C-alpha cells in the first residue's frame, strides 16, 4: 500500500521543477506518485497543470534572470542589453525547454505568453527593474 501525505504548495512547485527538468514535461499522474500524494491532492494544491507549469517556468526564469543579472559587466543601456542577451542565451541552451516547446506547443503558448500568468507578468516586472 502506498502512503499518502499532506504537502504544501512550495513542495509541489519544487517537485514540479525537478520533474520538468528530468522529463521536459509535467505529467501530473507521475508527479503525484513521485511526491507520494494522490492526484486529487496534487490538483487541490496546484489547481491545474497549466498553473503548476506557470509556477515552474517562473521559478526557472527567476533563476536564469538572476544568473544573467549576476553576469552583467556593463551599466546603463549596454547593461540592460547584456542581461537580456544572457537570459536569451540560457533559454536557447535549455534542451529541456526546447523539447517542451516542440512537444507541447499549445500548453507553452497558454502558459508562457498570456499576460494573466506569473511568467509573463514576472518577466515584464523584472525587465522593468533591469531598466
Amino acid at each position: 500500500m502506498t502512503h499518502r501525505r499532506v504537502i504544501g504548495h512550495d513542495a509541489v512547485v519544487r517537485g514540479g521543477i525537478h520533474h520538468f527538468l528530468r522529463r521536459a514535461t509535467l505529467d501530473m499522474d507521475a508527479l503525484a506518485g513521485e511526491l507520494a500524494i494522490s492526484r486529487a491532492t496534487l490538483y487541490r494544491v496546484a489547481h491545474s497543470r497549466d498553473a503548476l507549469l506557470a509556477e515552474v517556468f517562473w521559478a526557472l526564469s527567476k533563476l536564469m534572470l538572476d544568473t544573467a543579472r549576476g553576469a552583467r559587466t556593463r551599466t546603463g543601456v549596454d547593461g540592460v542589453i547584456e542581461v537580456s542577451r544572457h537570459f536569451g542565451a540560457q533559454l536557447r541552451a535549455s534542451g529541456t525547454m526546447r523539447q517542451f516547446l516542440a512537444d507541447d506547443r499549445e500548453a507553452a503558448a497558454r502558459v508562457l505568453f498570456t499576460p494573466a500568468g506569473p511568467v509573463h507578468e514576472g518577466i515584464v516586472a523584472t525587465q522593468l527593474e533591469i531598466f
Side-chain angles (χ1 to χ4, degrees), residues 2-124:
T2 303
H3 295 285
R4 300 290 182 204
R5 62 189 177 97
V6 176
I7 191 167
H9 186 264
D10 290 344
V12 167
V13 173
R14 281 192 308 274
I17 290 167
H18 294 295
H19 181 88
F20 179 80
L21 291 174
R22 282 191 320 274
R23 296 175 175 233
T25 191
L26 197 57
D27 179 325
M28 296 295 272
D29 290 332
L31 178 59
E34 291 169 12
L35 296 173
I37 59 174
S38 70
R39 196 168 173 267
T41 297
L42 177 59
Y43 276 95
R44 193 170 21 263
V45 174
H47 304 292
S48 70
R49 178 178 182 258
D50 280 1
L52 184 54
L53 272 170
E55 293 196 55
V56 165
F57 292 155
W58 175 232
L60 293 171
S61 295
K62 284 193 300 189
L63 290 172
M64 286 189 268
L65 283 163
D66 288 347
T67 299
R69 288 170 103 170
R72 177 181 12 203
T73 60
R74 299 177 182 152
T75 60
V77 174
D78 291 335
V80 171
I81 293 168
E82 185 179 19
V83 170
S84 297
R85 284 185 178 156
H86 280 292
F87 179 67
Q90 290 177 89
L91 283 174
R92 283 188 305 278
S94 173
T96 305
M97 184 57 82
R98 283 197 323 270
Q99 186 66 49
F100 176 75
L101 291 171
D103 292 346
D104 204 346
R105 290 183 179 134
E106 290 177 15
R110 282 191 313 270
V111 172
L112 294 171
F113 305 121
T114 57
V119 180
H120 183 272
E121 287 180 4
I123 295 292
V124 169

